[in-house]
Amino acid sequence: MVIFIRPRALVSKAFVTSGVCAALVAGAAAGPAHAARNAAGPPAVPSLSALSWEVMDARTGTVLAARAPHRRLPPASTLKTLFAVTVLPHLRQDAVHRASWADLAEVAEGSSEVGVAEGHRYTVADLWRGVFLSSGNDAVHTLARLNGGLSRTLAQMQATARRIGARDTQVRSPDGFDTPGQYSSAHDLALIAREGFKNPDFRRYMGTKFARFPASGGPDAYEIQNTNRLLVGSHGVEPYPGLIGVKNGYTTQAGTTLVSAATHKGRTILVTVMNPQDGDFNEVYEESRTLLDWGFATPAPQPPKQQAGPLRAAAAPATAPTHQEEAAEAPGLTRHLGAAAALLVLTCVPLIVRRRLRARRIRS
């Protein structure tokens, strides 16, 4: 008995099935490649000379990238942010104080000063502008005495650091002047600044560029300018668009330090840079600029279930993936291709079997 078959149908079915198999293999190979392209994410993290730095999304507290973010280093005047976070809520901004010798007695020699003069009257707001704009240690010590004294203020600052999770910070002075046993970290300074953002007075002072000292005027009043060059644009540094603060610092031991924040299209990036090793005094501003640019170029993270705070935030790697990390992704690709190959066999084998059976029937 001769059984006739339709060659066209057989060829067509084989063609379709082969096409499906090829598509499966191609899809399996392309799937991981597509995922790898999506996983590439933000641009490469820049290479900088600072001993320590961190980039944080201010809204979520997510650390986007960092280098040695928990390395304990002298903070210089960036520690004044912790002083402000601690003391600002305790003093009325419109309160008036007549400066005395005792206010200035413990200001270290060589300190930066705004010019608080014994016997002159200042509002608390005047003194805060002296802290944020001129980095005045004389204003810091005057406010510390108004807060109940130096010892009380230092204890409160340490307690504030612990409360917000700044566990790399040890306070020995209210102004950040080089003092044995005093240190902080890039991550802690970012946490402190982010805590300060919650206070409208903190936000106002950190972004003030110019002011009269004292604001009431008079023959002895004069203009002061914020020493943050990235904010005002001075000494060869171009101002950064959208910069809102926060605080710069310098001492012999700390080198240059800077906590800066900028807002663009509703998103705020917070950057800390500690002690760049290259360039001149302006290097801290230019490295901060580079990190701000990089931060805004990255996708905005989703709010985490637990934001940066008492538990240390896990920093994104500041270097390219290692060969071991790339190899760790290979098994995923192998599994995809293995599954596709198995499916190819299961789909194509029945076709081959049917063709052989039909061929036998024709011969018979």
Side-chain angles (χ1 to χ4, degrees):
M1 172 176 139
V2 179
I3 300 175
F4 293 95
I5 60 173
R6 291 179 295 175
R8 289 185 180 178
L10 181 59
V11 172
S12 177
K13 188 177 297 184
F15 179 79
V16 172
T17 306
S18 300
V20 170
C21 295
L24 288 169
V25 174
H34 179 71
R37 287 193 298 270
N38 289 342
V45 177
S47 177
L48 304 176
S49 72
L51 296 181
S52 175
W53 55 262
E54 181 169 291
V55 183
M56 178 184 286
D57 182 272
R59 181 178 67 90
T60 63
T62 302
V63 178
L64 303 177
R67 175 187 181 187
H70 296 286
R71 182 173 178 177
R72 295 175 173 181
L73 295 168
S77 288
T78 56
L79 193 66
K80 289 182 172 77
T81 57
L82 179 59
F83 174 75
V85 167
T86 302
V87 178
L88 262 171
H90 300 304
L91 302 176
R92 287 182 49 186
Q93 301 303 298
D94 59 353
V96 178
H97 173 70
R98 184 185 296 276
S100 66
W101 174 87
D103 295 333
L104 310 174
E106 296 187 74
V107 177
E109 184 178 354
S111 291
S112 56
E113 299 182 358
V114 65
V116 175
E118 181 180 349
H120 287 231
R121 296 167 65 87
Y122 305 95
T123 65
V124 166
D126 286 328
L127 296 172
W128 280 119
R129 284 186 284 270
V131 171
F132 277 89
L133 277 69
S134 299
S135 203
N137 292 1
D138 49 353
V140 169
H141 280 264
T142 302
L143 289 166
R145 276 183 54 82
L146 290 173
N147 187 54
L150 186 58
S151 297
R152 172 186 169 88
T153 299
L154 293 179
Q156 289 178 342
M157 290 173 66
Q158 194 67 65
T160 299
R162 294 296 176 264
R163 175 178 61 82
I164 66 176
R167 296 175 180 173
D168 302 318
T169 298
Q170 187 65 53
V171 180
R172 292 286 185 268
S173 74
D175 49 28
F177 196 84
D178 288 335
T179 307
Q182 178 166 270
Y183 48 78
S184 189
S185 70
H187 181 63
D188 279 13
L189 291 171
L191 290 180
I192 293 165
R194 186 166 179 258
E195 183 71 14
F197 294 168
K198 299 176 183 179
N199 187 317
D201 291 325
F202 186 101
R203 294 198 305 272
R204 182 173 69 256
Y205 292 132
M206 76 176 188
T208 301
K209 297 180 180 181
F210 305 96
R212 294 286 292 173
F213 185 81
S216 59
D220 296 324
Y222 47 90
E223 186 176 84
I224 56 176
Q225 175 179 300
N226 201 308
T227 57
N228 183 346
R229 299 177 182 181
L230 203 60
L231 178 66
V232 299
S234 65
H235 299 80
V237 177
E238 291 294 321
Y240 190 86
L243 199 81
I244 58 175
V246 186
K247 190 72 189 75
N248 57 309
Y250 170 78
T251 64
T252 303
Q253 294 180 20
T256 53
T257 57
L258 178 63
V259 183
S260 52
T263 299
H264 179 63
K265 294 183 178 179
R267 184 184 182 195
T268 299
I269 296 294
L270 180 58
V271 165
T272 305
V273 175
M274 303 187 76
N275 200 354
Q277 300 297 291
D278 294 342
D280 56 14
F281 194 86
N282 286 340
E283 186 66 17
V284 70
Y285 297 105
E286 298 309 326
E287 293 194 6
S288 296
R289 183 194 308 278
T290 298
L291 291 175
L292 285 167
D293 286 343
W294 180 88
F296 284 118
T298 63
Q302 295 299 315
K305 293 182 179 179
Q306 182 167 353
Q307 297 181 353
L311 295 179
R312 295 186 179 190
T319 58
T322 64
H323 292 299
Q324 291 80 0
E325 289 170 335
E326 292 173 348
E329 297 177 358
L333 177 59
T334 302
R335 286 194 298 271
H336 280 291
L337 292 175
L343 185 57
L344 174 64
V345 171
L346 292 175
T347 305
C348 297
V349 166
L351 173 62
I352 296 172
V353 171
R354 286 196 300 272
R355 293 184 64 181
R356 289 184 177 178
L357 288 174
R358 290 172 179 171
R360 289 178 182 176
R361 290 174 181 173
I362 291 174
R363 288 196 296 271
S364 64

